[in-house]
Amino acid sequence: MKRKFGGNERLKRSLLNTLRREFEVLTMKPEEKIGEYFGRVMTVSNKMRSNSEDMPDSKIVEKILRTLTDQFTYVVISIEESKDTRSMSIDELQSSLAVHEQKFKKTTHEE
């Protein structure tokens, strides 16, 4: 049995290494919307979780805050100063950033 499923363990480790790399290099694209970016990050994170990787929400929240576009710099600073990102949920972060994204759009349309 060990021999039969030993290959699966190696395959799983290889897949996890690929997913870790993909997670590490993820960044928000300049014209990408918050919802789209969260979707990409969560797709990779969920694949990692399904392969037994320890992926706490805090790790995902911190990753997203580090890799947003420059337009969100002040929002990120504000969130980091006013909230504990270690206990912040992914949904809470997404809704906060989506509100700011809407404000950016509104300001751009008014100009």
Side-chain angles (χ1 to χ4, degrees), residues 28-34 37 64-79 96-109 111:
M28 187 175 180
K29 297 173 186 170
E31 297 301 319
E32 192 171 27
K33 292 180 176 29
I34 286 294
Y37 182 54
I64 290 170
L65 288 173
R66 274 194 318 272
T67 57
L68 292 171
T69 58
D70 289 341
Q71 102 183 62
F72 287 96
T73 301
Y74 294 111
V75 178
V76 170
I77 291 169
S78 173
I79 289 171
S96 177
L97 292 172
V99 167
H100 288 287
E101 182 179 59
Q102 289 299 318
K103 287 181 181 179
F104 294 148
K105 285 181 186 176
K106 187 176 181 181
T107 305
T108 305
H109 287 295
E111 291 173 358

Side-chain angles (χ1 to χ4, degrees), residues 7-107:
N8 287 343
E9 191 60 37
R10 275 179 276 171
L11 182 64
K12 191 177 188 177
R13 277 197 315 266
S14 176
L15 176 60
L16 263 175
N17 282 334
T18 302
L19 291 169
R20 285 179 189 132
R21 172 75 176 136
E22 190 176 337
F23 184 77
E24 288 171 8
V25 299
L26 274 173
T27 58
M28 187 175 180
K29 297 173 186 170
E31 297 301 319
E32 192 171 27
K33 292 180 176 29
I34 286 294
E36 295 167 347
Y37 182 54
F38 269 77
R40 286 193 309 124
V41 171
M42 293 311 298
T43 298
V44 175
S45 301
N46 288 335
K47 286 179 185 176
M48 291 172 74
R49 284 175 171 166
S50 70
N51 283 287
S52 306
E53 179 76 3
D54 182 30
M55 286 295 290
D57 283 358
S58 61
K59 185 174 183 176
I60 298 168
V61 165
E62 289 169 0
K63 165 66 176 176
I64 290 170
L65 288 173
R66 274 194 318 272
T67 57
L68 292 171
T69 58
D70 289 341
Q71 102 183 62
F72 287 96
T73 301
Y74 294 111
V75 178
V76 170
I77 291 169
S78 173
I79 289 171
E80 289 175 339
E81 290 292 320
S82 65
K83 298 182 181 184
D84 181 9
T85 56
R86 291 172 296 177
S87 62
M88 181 180 240
S89 75
I90 296 166
D91 290 336
E92 182 182 359
L93 177 62
Q94 184 174 5
S95 27
S96 177
L97 292 172
V99 167
H100 288 287
E101 182 179 59
Q102 289 299 318
K103 287 181 181 179
F104 294 148
K105 285 181 186 176
K106 187 176 181 181
T107 305

